[in-house]
Amino acid sequence: MGRISLFSHNVEKMKKSNFVFLIPAVLLPFEANADTNFYLGGTVGHHLYKESGYMQQAGYLLGAIVRFQHYGNGNEANLYLNATADYSHKEYSYNGSLVNMLTSAKSPYEFNGSQVNLGADAQVGVAFNFYELGDDYWVLFTGSNYKGFDDSNDKNTDYGHRRIRNSIFWTFGTKYIWKIGGHIITPAVKSGTVVYSRTVSKKDVDVVYKQKEGSLFEFSVSYEYGYFWLEPYFKYQQFGNSERSVEKVTLSNGKQIEIEMMEPANITRELGINIGARF
């Protein structure tokens, strides 16, 4: 009886184990023929931030990027997944002006500063197989994209102040995965509309600005061969004027006044290259 009971227990355990392993097979039937890759690399590029009529910041960036990508190849249409995280450190030269609040006179003002930028992109979509073209894929996707920066120019000037911006965009895009022997070339286009954006100016009292109008556009061409990965890219963001905020300002004569402040409409352009390894 003891042996029968032990054998019966092991059979039940095996049934449960098999059931557990069958779940992904039922829910994710494309896994058997899936193509899953990890990308790890560095980034180098040039950036420009401009508030028309006010100032601009331009300089170079260095960073890192990590990416996970998955698409099936067992059916004509398959689930596509992509998750990307990136970091960059940006040095820049600031070109703007100071305004005398008593006389309204402007004087040129320049300094050097730095930024830390973070990004996170989560995409889901569908990959269509083109069997007549071999293993090529056309991918349509949508998803959220976080963009954030911390501008620490208060460390470099008495007049500057630290600014922190966090934004979330909802994006749509497409890419074509073109395989030529062991070479893979992938042009990709993505655009999006802002759903949340908040900028904090770190002064004696934090001033918060909300920018409800904004968009992004990104274009890249990825090249892969073996473990090698190279991806030139172009990124563009634009924001409209923020909501106005009342701020107290102390004039040179000691008098305090209240003025309405805002984050002016601005654009950001970035041109760079990701280079690294594919696993």
Side-chain angles (χ1 to χ4, degrees):
M1 291 295 290
R3 290 181 181 177
I4 294 175
S5 175
L6 179 61
F7 177 75
S8 174
H9 174 73
N10 288 337
V11 169
E12 289 300 318
K13 188 176 181 180
M14 290 173 63
K15 285 182 179 179
K16 291 179 180 177
S17 177
N18 289 339
F19 178 71
V20 169
F21 285 109
L22 280 172
I23 290 177
V26 173
L27 295 180
L28 304 173
F30 56 83
E31 286 292 343
N33 297 310
D35 191 348
T36 301
N37 294 296
F38 293 90
Y39 300 83
L40 182 64
T43 303
V44 61
H46 183 270
H47 67 98
L48 169 71
Y49 172 86
K50 186 174 183 180
E51 296 174 357
S52 182
Y54 294 94
M55 65 86 164
Q56 76 171 35
Q57 300 173 181
Y60 293 91
L61 67 94
L62 291 172
I65 181 172
V66 60
R67 177 179 298 163
F68 163 83
Q69 179 176 273
H70 170 98
Y71 57 91
N73 58 4
N75 304 299
E76 291 187 1
N78 301 276
L79 180 65
Y80 168 78
L81 300 172
N82 185 306
T84 302
D86 60 84
Y87 163 90
S88 63
H89 176 85
K90 296 181 178 180
E91 296 290 333
Y92 65 79
S93 295
Y94 176 98
N95 293 281
S97 59
L98 296 175
V99 179
N100 187 312
M101 301 297 291
L102 293 174
T103 64
S104 298
K106 289 185 178 182
S107 57
Y109 183 61
E110 300 179 0
F111 66 88
N112 295 321
S114 64
Q115 276 184 25
V116 170
N117 284 245
L118 297 172
D121 192 0
Q123 304 168 3
V124 61
V126 60
F128 298 94
N129 297 45
F130 284 84
Y131 290 111
E132 69 275 14
L133 297 178
D135 296 327
D136 297 352
Y137 290 86
W138 176 39
V139 180
L140 296 175
F141 61 83
T142 187
S144 61
N145 195 169
Y146 164 80
K147 305 282 189 183
F149 74 76
D150 188 338
D151 190 340
S152 54
N153 66 37
D154 59 327
K155 297 177 182 178
N156 300 280
T157 171
D158 293 333
Y159 296 99
H161 59 270
R162 183 180 176 193
R163 296 165 61 244
I164 302 172
R165 184 167 76 189
N166 293 289
S167 306
I168 298 175
F169 298 83
W170 191 261
T171 64
F172 298 89
T174 184
K175 63 172 60 177
Y176 185 72
I177 302 170
W178 182 22
K179 299 182 179 180
I180 309 171
H183 306 270
I184 304 173
I185 300 173
T186 307
V189 177
K190 180 176 68 178
S191 63
T193 301
V194 70
V195 293
Y196 170 85
S197 186
R198 182 176 183 267
T199 301
V200 179
S201 291
K202 305 293 285 187
K203 300 183 179 181
D204 294 336
V205 177
D206 288 356
V207 183
V208 178
Y209 304 98
K210 295 182 180 179
Q211 290 173 289
K212 295 183 177 180
E213 295 181 2
S215 62
L216 65 75
F217 173 82
E218 298 182 3
F219 174 75
S220 65
V221 179
S222 175
Y223 171 75
E224 304 166 36
Y225 183 73
Y227 292 104
F228 178 71
W229 170 52
L230 177 71
E231 185 181 48
Y233 69 84
F234 171 77
K235 297 180 180 180
Y236 177 87
Q237 291 180 49
Q238 70 84 25
F239 285 93
N241 292 331
S242 73
E243 296 177 340
R244 295 178 182 271
S245 178
V246 177
E247 184 177 352
K248 289 185 178 180
V249 176
T250 302
L251 303 179
S252 57
N253 60 5
K255 182 181 178 181
Q256 274 199 338
I257 62 172
E258 289 188 348
I259 60 174
E260 284 191 333
M261 301 290 289
M262 68 176 182
E263 278 285 301
N266 59 80
I267 64 166
T268 301
R269 291 199 301 264
E270 187 176 313
L271 184 65
I273 298 176
N274 299 317
I275 184 169
R278 178 191 71 162
F279 304 96

